[in-house]
Amino acid sequence: ESEPLLKFPEPTHTRDPDSNSLPRFTSVAEAIKGIPQGYPNHDWSPEFASPRRQHNGDAPLRRTILTGGTTEVHPSGLRAFSNRELACLQGFPLDHKFSVMASKTEVKKQIGNAFPPSVAAVLFGSIKRQLQERDEMKPK
């Protein structure tokens, strides 16, 4: 007899600013606000020759971070995101240390290949909870 599939986790956040039951998604501004100047991997690329379309910093990032970074630009529209900003957007803690031997490109690839830790925590927590519930319900 096969076991039924596990349920997908319940939502943890919402886009709805008026929701009282769930917190709002983390915005770009919230994710990158605490990075000190001169912090490791927070060296900015040169500014663009002409400003790009600005991103609303109060909204979540619109696109995925891939191994080459993202097509999104810093909310100012004047530069690309630093690797540290990309790491924070991907869910890495601020104090995460990348190899000092890794090039900027290699660090960006590590960030893009990473499965966001916050998503993993929700997913695996849900799986664990459901499996424990099933085990307790089975006859002994």
Side-chain angles (χ1 to χ4, degrees):
E1 177 181 331
S2 65
E3 292 197 32
L5 293 174
L6 298 174
K7 296 176 191 168
F8 199 76
E10 293 294 321
T12 59
H13 290 72
T14 183
R15 292 183 190 276
D16 181 4
D18 299 323
S19 173
N20 291 328
S21 60
L22 294 174
R24 287 193 62 219
F25 287 119
T26 302
S27 71
V28 170
E30 290 168 329
I32 67 175
K33 71 180 174 189
I35 306 172
Q37 288 287 344
Y39 206 77
N41 306 107
H42 191 47
D43 45 334
W44 303 338
S45 299
E47 292 188 359
F48 300 130
S50 59
R52 308 285 169 90
R53 192 177 111 206
Q54 287 184 313
H55 175 74
N56 178 0
D58 293 327
L61 194 67
R62 295 179 299 223
R63 293 183 178 84
T64 306
I65 297 171
L66 304 172
T67 57
T70 180
T71 56
E72 297 288 337
V73 298
H74 187 270
S76 68
L78 301 176
R79 63 177 180 83
F81 285 110
S82 71
N83 279 347
R84 179 57 59 186
E85 289 167 333
L86 290 173
C88 287
L89 288 165
Q90 188 75 327
F92 284 87
L94 184 59
D95 61 353
H96 180 82
K97 292 178 174 54
F98 294 96
S99 170
V100 292
M101 301 301 287
S103 69
K104 287 182 183 182
T105 303
E106 291 168 329
V107 169
K108 192 176 288 185
K109 189 173 185 178
Q110 290 175 33
I111 295 164
N113 278 333
F115 192 82
S118 56
V119 175
V122 170
L123 183 63
F124 294 123
S126 176
I127 291 170
K128 179 181 176 183
R129 199 169 31 262
Q130 291 180 65
L131 291 175
Q132 287 174 332
E133 289 170 5
R134 281 187 187 179
D135 286 348
E136 291 173 4
M137 292 190 313
K138 287 186 175 182
K140 294 185 178 186

